[in-house]
Amino acid sequence: MKNLSSNFKNVLLVIAGLLLAASCNTPGNAYKSGALAGDVASQVYVPPGEYDEFYAFMSGGFSGQISVHGLPSGRLLRIIPVFSVDAEKGYGFNEETKAMLNTSHGFIPWDDAHHPELSQTNGVTDGRWIFINGNNTPRVARVDLSTFETAEIIEIPNSGGNHSSPFTTENTEYVVAGTRFGVPYPQQDVAIDSYAENFKGMLTYISVSEEGDMDVAFQILLPAFDYDLAHSGKGKSHGWTFFTTYNTEEKATLLEVTASQNDKDYIAAVNWKKAEEYLAQGKFREVAANYADNEYDESTQMATSTMKNSVKILTPEDCPGLVYFLPTPKSPHGVDVDPTGEYIVGNGKLSADLTVHSFTKMLAAIENESFEKVVAGVPVLQFEEVVAGVVPEAGLGPLHTEFDANGNAYTSFFITSEVVKWKVGSWEVLDRAPSYYSIGHLMIPGGDSKEPQGKYLVALNKITKDRYLPTGPELCHSAQLYDISGDKMKLLLDFPTMGEPHYAQGISADRIQSKSKKFYPLEENKHPYATLGEKDARVERAGNNVHVYMTTIRSHFAPDNIEGIKVGDKVYFHVTNLEQDWDVPHGFAMMGANNAELLIMPGQTETLLWEPKTVGVFPFYCTDFCSALHQEMQGYVRVSPRNSDIAMTWKLGEDDPVQ
């Protein structure tokens, strides 16, 4: 039988090869005779019942979510709701999670999620949390990787466009958040033409406690450049963070022309260890601010939103040595630090060369005061004094660089649509691989850490055209998987992605899998409306508010018949899943409810608000398949006129109803 399975697999591979060869001349497939030649199918095939080696966390861009894929298969494993409401899981719809989407502007059920970033310990990804930024209404979220659920979202004050975010420091002491758009500081009614005079840029450092709690520790006030991306130092450069900037011209209109005039823009090098010293010395200004900090408490299974009212702000004029500017080729996007912490790669989009800065030379230039000039209290270091080397004519449109464990770097080139492999230190190009259409970021598992895990590279492509079956004017975006274990990169797989993937992070499965939560112990359920057994199921009225304390277990609700509800009531269904077995969630949906279903994990309690508007008898049911009798899992609620005297009763089974 074993030989038969092997032979069958070989036959399938031969057939696949023949089909591949036959399709070489069809539109969109002309490339396949080259990069995809050979047996690549077996390299990405994960047999039924076996697991992928890596998790890949991909930003959903305008979807506001994170998608989780397995590597090397590319299979979609999960969508994690973060900044957008999610009907599948009831996130943002149920009463427990609505507070997660609160901001100083009110309830905002969407954002533009760009950059996932894994937590690290000693510069190594540790599988505790993944952070991601909301670019539109500036926010940073933390996702708990034991549950794959959003645990906290904090709003960023004094910011516009939270793009260079939320990159971690070596031990996740901080995640950073740099403003993409300069905004008036303080926010006020001023002419847009007064940009250079009245607008500012703000860099935010968000502290992360051992338990994961986030807080705005301090902000740094800088000129109104656009702060694009960031990475913190590691090893010898631990204690520093590097932010790319463009629009050093400080213009507010037609930036594709006006913000590309200067020969060089800057990398802002921030000494956050020095910032901590200044904070301890009281060299900050406490400034009024209004921003939300939303946290989900796993014990109560409830989210709370706290409005905070001040932040600590440091300014370079008052804090010498806090920030330095490193000149770098114009309009840089990514800024990336190699595993040793010595080399800082600035990806200037409008330069044909790839410029690499030296941390050691940067420190020497600071010591020797090798400054070109000072801008708003920030010394600009002399370019020649900080450059370690140049990868000459590497490609057009460099965006982002990551690293493997063998001293090699990989850079995405948007215009020439390729990934270029080069040697750190000698700066020689070692290999090129086409990415087909416009590549943005790329990802190597652990590729921005001290210990890259990569034998794979994932390219995240912006435009797909004929890569997949057409789906109308809008086409899916694409990821491509490369094998980078050898001297030459080898394209293995294309797979579609959700939303617009900007960046991704990868981590070996063993760093997360062993910590994965299987269910919520009922004895630890501290939800204020939990019902921990069917005997406690009940319905209580308090004026126009009705609270239904309901349980669910295979394959019924308790209670499943309720009478005495009236038009205009606010009915809160507090549903507790009594299951204590892995992978047995239950759903709850109420006909006519103006929100989504509940999807309740084993041992969890969730709440759905229903406001009946007409009389009648309305069904509810389980939306998530749970047993052979799933279809039978249903109930009814009778709704009577507002002025009726129908008694409040409930029951389960044929016994007399309870009042």
Side-chain angles (χ1 to χ4, degrees):
M1 195 70 184
K2 184 175 182 181
N3 290 335
L4 179 61
S5 298
S6 177
N7 290 336
F8 183 65
K9 180 179 176 183
N10 289 336
V11 169
L12 287 178
L13 291 173
V14 170
I15 293 172
L18 291 172
L19 290 173
L20 185 63
S23 65
C24 281
N25 295 322
T26 60
N29 287 318
Y31 64 89
K32 290 184 177 177
S33 60
L36 285 180
D39 173 19
V40 296
S42 64
Q43 296 179 52
V44 299
Y45 178 67
V46 178
E50 294 189 13
Y51 295 150
D52 280 284
E53 187 178 356
F54 293 93
Y55 288 97
F57 297 89
M58 300 191 180
S59 67
F62 43 65
S63 78
Q65 318 290 39
I66 296 174
S67 63
V68 187
H69 296 257
L71 296 181
S73 73
R75 297 179 295 195
L76 177 65
L77 304 177
R78 177 85 184 268
I79 299 292
I80 303 175
V82 183
F83 298 112
S84 298
V85 294
D86 182 79
E88 178 190 352
K89 301 173 184 65
Y91 179 82
F93 290 100
N94 64 40
E95 297 304 297
E96 285 74 16
T97 58
K98 285 179 180 177
M100 294 298 289
L101 301 177
N102 188 40
T103 74
S104 61
H105 306 276
F107 179 80
I108 297 185
W110 174 84
D111 216 309
D112 185 16
H114 278 217
H115 306 123
E117 177 82 354
L118 289 159
S119 57
Q120 296 186 12
T121 301
N122 296 324
V124 177
T125 55
D126 55 30
R128 291 179 294 165
W129 311 300
I130 192 161
F131 303 88
I132 192 164
N133 62 325
N135 188 38
N136 183 60
T137 302
R139 288 176 278 182
V140 167
R142 174 176 57 87
V143 174
D144 185 336
L145 291 181
S146 71
T147 60
F148 281 55
E149 293 183 353
T150 303
E152 186 175 5
I153 298 177
I154 191 166
E155 189 179 2
I156 312 300
N158 302 313
S159 182
N162 175 37
H163 196 258
S164 48
S165 169
F167 302 98
T168 67
T169 55
E170 187 173 288
N171 290 294
T172 320
E173 298 96 338
Y174 300 99
V175 293
V176 300
T179 183
R180 174 180 173 184
F181 311 116
V183 292
Y185 175 80
Q187 189 62 269
Q188 57 189 304
D189 177 16
V190 296
I192 298 174
D193 284 348
S194 69
Y195 186 97
E197 293 77 31
N198 291 314
F199 288 54
K200 294 293 182 182
M202 194 73 78
L203 306 182
T204 303
Y205 278 71
I206 301 165
S207 61
V208 184
S209 74
E210 285 296 319
E211 294 74 32
D213 292 338
M214 298 190 295
D215 196 12
V216 175
F218 61 91
Q219 296 187 306
I220 301 173
L221 189 67
L222 288 176
F225 307 154
D226 290 45
Y227 297 84
D228 199 2
L229 281 173
H231 265 103
S232 288
K234 54 182 75 83
K236 63 173 63 179
S237 54
H238 176 55
W240 292 76
T241 306
F242 306 94
F243 296 81
T244 47
T245 74
Y246 62 96
N247 191 23
T248 52
E249 298 83 358
E250 296 187 88
K251 301 298 183 181
T253 184
L254 197 63
L255 261 62
E256 63 178 302
V257 175
T258 59
S260 300
Q261 298 301 307
N262 292 340
D263 180 55
K264 292 182 176 62
D265 289 300
Y266 301 131
I267 292 172
V270 177
N271 186 340
W272 58 261
K273 290 282 191 181
K274 181 72 72 174
E276 291 179 333
E277 294 175 10
Y278 283 127
L279 289 170
Q281 296 166 14
K283 294 288 185 67
F284 59 87
R285 285 182 290 141
E286 191 91 20
V287 175
N290 186 35
Y291 60 102
D293 186 1
N294 311 322
E295 297 187 63
Y296 182 83
D297 185 325
E298 193 172 288
S299 64
T300 63
Q301 300 170 15
M302 300 280 289
T304 56
S305 180
T306 303
M307 295 305 299
K308 299 190 173 181
N309 56 24
S310 69
V311 291
K312 295 180 174 67
I313 291 183
L314 302 172
T315 58
E317 293 91 340
D318 299 327
C319 303
L322 179 62
V323 185
Y324 296 91
F325 287 148
L326 283 64
T328 202
K330 63 173 60 180
S331 296
H333 187 55
V335 55
D336 305 287
V337 182
D338 85 308
T340 70
E342 168 62 19
Y343 296 115
I344 304 145
V345 183
N347 298 283
K349 298 194 299 289
L350 301 183
S351 172
D353 297 333
L354 197 60
T355 300
V356 183
H357 300 284
S358 162
F359 179 73
T360 301
K361 294 182 73 173
M362 183 194 85
L363 292 183
I366 293 170
E367 178 69 23
N368 297 328
E369 297 186 356
S370 300
F371 305 149
E372 290 183 2
K373 56 184 175 180
V374 175
V375 177
V378 179
V380 179
L381 303 180
Q382 291 182 9
F383 179 70
E384 295 78 9
E385 296 298 315
V386 296
V387 171
V390 171
V391 184
E393 298 181 356
L396 297 178
L399 287 184
H400 175 214
T401 300
E402 294 220 339
F403 305 89
D404 65 18
N406 301 311
N408 302 311
Y410 301 76
T411 300
S412 57
F413 287 84
F414 180 81
I415 296 174
T416 48
S417 294
E418 61 182 335
V419 178
V420 174
K421 176 182 178 180
W422 50 276
K423 192 69 177 177
V424 176
S426 69
W427 324 122
E428 59 184 313
V429 171
L430 303 176
D431 191 22
R432 298 177 182 272
S435 62
Y436 306 103
Y437 309 113
S438 300
I439 184 175
H441 284 274
L442 47 76
M443 179 272 282
I444 294 171
D448 69 343
S449 73
K450 287 170 69 173
E451 296 181 9
Q453 294 186 285
K455 66 180 182 183
Y456 297 116
L457 179 148
V458 177
L460 302 166
N461 301 334
K462 300 294 187 182
I463 300 171
T464 58
K465 289 196 180 358
D466 56 355
R467 297 298 281 182
Y468 306 104
L469 289 171
T471 53
E474 183 187 5
L475 302 177
C476 62
H477 291 260
S478 174
Q480 293 180 303
L481 181 72
Y482 294 81
D483 177 356
I484 59 170
S485 60
D487 292 335
K488 298 295 182 181
M489 293 177 280
K490 184 178 182 182
L491 178 60
L492 301 178
L493 179 70
D494 281 18
F495 58 96
T497 57
M498 309 304 293
E500 182 191 1
H502 289 262
Y503 182 44
Q505 287 262 282
I507 186 172
S508 58
D510 59 355
R511 296 186 184 179
I512 293 178
Q513 188 178 339
S514 61
K515 304 172 187 173
S516 186
K517 197 176 192 70
K518 293 180 169 58
F519 60 86
Y520 296 87
L522 277 170
E523 63 272 17
E524 297 176 9
N525 185 335
K526 307 302 181 186
H527 192 290
Y529 294 98
T531 307
L532 302 182
E534 285 189 2
K535 63 182 177 58
D536 297 318
R538 63 197 185 277
V539 182
E540 296 178 351
R541 176 180 288 279
N544 291 344
N545 293 328
V546 177
H547 293 272
V548 180
Y549 293 80
M550 180 178 283
T551 65
T552 179
I553 198 168
R554 287 167 286 187
S555 298
H556 62 266
F557 296 96
D560 65 1
N561 281 196
I562 301 171
E563 300 190 17
I565 304 297
K566 300 177 183 181
V567 172
D569 281 343
K570 288 187 173 183
V571 184
Y572 295 88
F573 292 93
H574 309 289
V575 186
T576 301
N577 182 349
L578 297 180
E579 306 282 357
Q580 293 289 268
D581 192 9
W582 193 19
D583 195 28
V584 190
H586 287 294
F588 178 84
M590 184 72 223
M591 180 178 174
N594 298 129
N595 49 25
E597 62 153 7
L598 301 178
L599 187 61
I600 313 145
M601 298 301 114
Q604 239 183 353
T605 302
E606 291 191 6
T607 303
L608 180 141
L609 171 60
W610 176 50
E611 300 183 59
K613 298 176 178 63
T614 60
V615 301
V617 178
F618 299 91
F620 58 85
Y621 69 102
C622 178
T623 54
D624 192 82
F625 183 87
C626 54
S627 72
L629 297 178
H630 166 71
Q631 287 295 102
E632 285 75 9
M633 195 167 176
Q634 64 180 55
Y636 291 99
V637 178
R638 176 185 175 185
V639 179
S640 302
R642 180 77 254 163
N643 59 357
S644 67
D645 58 359
I646 303 297
M648 177 71 71
T649 61
W650 62 94
K651 69 176 183 177
L652 171 68
E654 299 298 329
D655 294 337
D656 292 336
V658 178
Q659 318 191 35

